[in-house]
């Protein structure tokens, strides 16, 4: 049996404290090691100038009883925007603006894309900056989803797009406002956690006949090997369409979020309900012409009766 040690002999071993005087390891960059003093010099002007960081987040949702084609279009837009958040369907009522503003605030977003379907036929797109506005209401035409087109283009999911606009966006004030809203909503913020640091596709917005046409193209560059670009490959760069396709017809621009004072109203906009009623009237006019022609024929036969035939009853005997 060993002897028990006295409590006096036991000594508590204190953990060794870290040496604060140890030199920190310098940060590494793509171009090599970066000194600590250089890092401080780079960060100092940014802090003094109030460095801006883009924290744009977009809420994407739709109304109830939406058509399957329009739902697929919404899902295609969600796949193109890594900085968006998808939410449940919202009832399309007069109070939808209040509900959407609350959802945007709960999801900590700054913008909203709301796909509203009416009569299972017409698709309207609300594009709003919350909570102060402005907001735009579009009629969506010429919808073609990625599943329908089956194009050969393919780009990395989550990569940052390049935004290009036609020159006529700078002509009028309302087109300038729409350009700024499209830039903020469809432009993926730099260093976003869900985005990839690549630019391999282009969003094209062009104005034709007072409509905004959207196209998505992949940037294709010829390669000799898996990691090398062919000599002169950048000059041979081509664009391959990916999809989806749609056309936006602006209806109204409001000063607030989903409402407020009207800043712009499209004078050339015609409601699809009015177009359908005009087509029905044309068809109703054709039927009315047929009925009138039939009555005129009967009146003509009554006014001009045929002479009795002498030989009509000869063969009855």
């Amino acid at each position: 049996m060993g002897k028990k040690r006295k409590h006096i002999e036991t000594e508590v071993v204190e953990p060794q404290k870290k040496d604060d005087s140890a030199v920190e390891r310098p940060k590494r960059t793509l171009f090599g090691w970066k000194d600590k003093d250089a890092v401080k010099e780079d960060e100092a002007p940014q802090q003094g100038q109030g460095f801006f960081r883009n924290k744009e987040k977009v809420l994407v949702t739709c109304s109830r009883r939406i058509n399957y084609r329009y739902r697929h279009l919404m899902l295609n837009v969600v796949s193109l925007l890594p900085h968006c958040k998808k939410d449940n369907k919202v009832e399309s009522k007069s109070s939808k603006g209040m509900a959407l503003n609350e959802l945007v605030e709960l999801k900590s977003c700054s913008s909203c894309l709301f796909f509203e379907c009416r009569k299972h036929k017409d698709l309207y797109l609300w594009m709003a900056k919350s909570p102060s506005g402005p907001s735009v209401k579009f009629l969506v035409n010429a919808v073609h989803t990625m599943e329908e087109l089956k194009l050969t283009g393919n780009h990395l999911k989550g990569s940052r797009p390049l935004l290009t606009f036609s020159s006529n966006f700078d002509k009028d004030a309302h087109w300038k406002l729409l350009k700024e809203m499209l830039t903020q909503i469809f432009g993926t913020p730099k260093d976003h956690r869900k985005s990839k640091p690549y630019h391999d596709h282009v969003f094209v917005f062009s104005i034709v006949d007072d409509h905004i046409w959207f196209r998505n193209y992949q940037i294709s560059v010829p390669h000799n090997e898996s990691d090398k670009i062919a000599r002169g490959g950048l000059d041979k760069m081509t664009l391959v369409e990916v999809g989806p396709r749609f056309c936006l017809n602006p209806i109204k621009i409001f000063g607030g979020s989903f409402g407020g004072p009207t800043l712009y109203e499209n004078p050339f906009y015609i409601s699809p309900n009015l177009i359908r009623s005009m087509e029905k009237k044309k068809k109703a006019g054709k039927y009315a012409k047929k009925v009138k022609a039939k009555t005129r024929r009967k009146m003509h036969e009554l006014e001009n009766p045929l002479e009795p035939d002498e030989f009509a009853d000869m063969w009855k005997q």
Side-chain angles (χ1 to χ4, degrees), residues 284-300:
K286 289 182 180 179
Y287 178 74
K289 287 179 181 179
K290 289 181 181 179
V291 172
K292 287 181 180 179
K294 194 173 182 180
T295 54
R296 282 199 302 269
R297 180 65 183 173
K298 287 183 178 179
M299 294 296 293
H300 179 74

Side-chain angles (χ1 to χ4, degrees), residues 169-184:
F169 266 97
D170 299 327
K171 288 185 177 180
D172 299 325
H174 63 279
W175 292 123
K176 291 181 181 179
L177 177 60
L178 292 177
K179 179 181 178 181
E180 184 62 28
M181 292 187 67
L182 292 170
T183 304
Q184 293 184 19

Side-chain angles (χ1 to χ4, degrees), residues 69 72-73 76 142-153 214-217 241-246:
R69 293 184 68 248
H72 288 178
L73 175 66
N76 293 155
V143 175
H144 299 280
T145 61
M146 290 183 182
E147 292 80 7
E148 293 176 352
L149 293 172
K150 296 182 181 178
L151 297 170
T152 57
F214 173 83
R215 295 290 185 271
N216 180 24
Y217 295 98
E241 188 172 357
V242 182
R245 296 177 179 176
F246 55 88

Side-chain angles (χ1 to χ4, degrees), residues 129-147:
K129 299 290 292 182
S130 183
S132 59
S135 57
V136 192
K137 185 180 181 182
F138 296 99
L139 175 66
V140 186
N141 295 320
V143 175
H144 299 280
T145 61
M146 290 183 182
E147 292 80 7

Side-chain angles (χ1 to χ4, degrees), residues 91-297:
E91 190 65 39
S92 179
K93 293 182 179 179
S94 59
S95 61
K96 63 179 179 292
M98 298 174 61
L100 287 169
N101 286 327
E102 289 180 2
L103 278 176
V104 170
E105 186 178 358
L106 288 173
K107 293 288 183 178
S108 66
C109 297
S110 56
S111 305
C112 181
L113 290 176
F114 177 58
F115 292 84
E116 183 180 5
C117 184
R118 294 182 182 176
K119 296 185 178 180
H120 300 276
K121 299 177 182 179
D122 308 325
L123 179 65
Y124 296 91
L125 173 62
W126 283 87
M127 190 181 297
K129 299 290 292 182
S130 183
S132 59
S135 57
V136 192
K137 185 180 181 182
F138 296 99
L139 175 66
V140 186
N141 295 320
V143 175
H144 299 280
T145 61
M146 290 183 182
E147 292 80 7
E148 293 176 352
L149 293 172
K150 296 182 181 178
L151 297 170
T152 57
N154 186 18
H155 60 77
L156 184 66
K157 185 176 181 180
S159 59
R160 299 180 64 204
L162 298 173
L163 302 182
T164 60
F165 297 88
S166 58
S167 59
N168 47 5
F169 266 97
D170 299 327
K171 288 185 177 180
D172 299 325
H174 63 279
W175 292 123
K176 291 181 181 179
L177 177 60
L178 292 177
K179 179 181 178 181
E180 184 62 28
M181 292 187 67
L182 292 170
T183 304
Q184 293 184 19
I185 292 175
F186 284 89
T188 304
K190 187 180 179 182
D191 299 330
H192 192 271
R193 61 186 182 89
K194 290 186 179 180
S195 67
K196 310 293 189 303
Y198 307 106
H199 295 278
D200 61 348
H201 64 291
V202 185
F203 289 165
V204 180
F205 298 93
S206 55
I207 299 175
V208 180
D209 297 332
D210 294 327
H211 291 61
I212 299 176
W213 297 79
F214 173 83
R215 295 290 185 271
N216 180 24
Y217 295 98
Q218 175 201 357
I219 302 173
S220 178
V221 183
H223 289 254
N224 283 337
E225 298 177 5
S226 60
D227 57 345
K228 291 184 180 180
I229 300 176
R231 181 175 294 180
L234 295 177
D235 298 334
K236 299 176 183 178
M237 186 185 301
T238 56
L239 297 177
V240 184
E241 188 172 357
V242 182
R245 296 177 179 176
F246 55 88
C247 172
L248 300 177
N249 184 12
I251 303 173
K252 283 186 180 182
I253 300 177
F254 301 97
S257 179
F258 297 100
T262 303
L263 303 180
Y264 170 77
E265 186 174 359
N266 189 2
F268 304 105
Y269 170 71
I270 301 175
S271 173
N273 293 329
L274 181 60
I275 294 173
R276 284 192 289 266
S277 66
M278 292 171 65
E279 290 178 353
K280 286 183 179 179
K281 286 180 181 179
K282 285 183 180 179
K283 292 180 181 178
K286 289 182 180 179
Y287 178 74
K289 287 179 181 179
K290 289 181 181 179
V291 172
K292 287 181 180 179
K294 194 173 182 180
T295 54
R296 282 199 302 269
R297 180 65 183 173

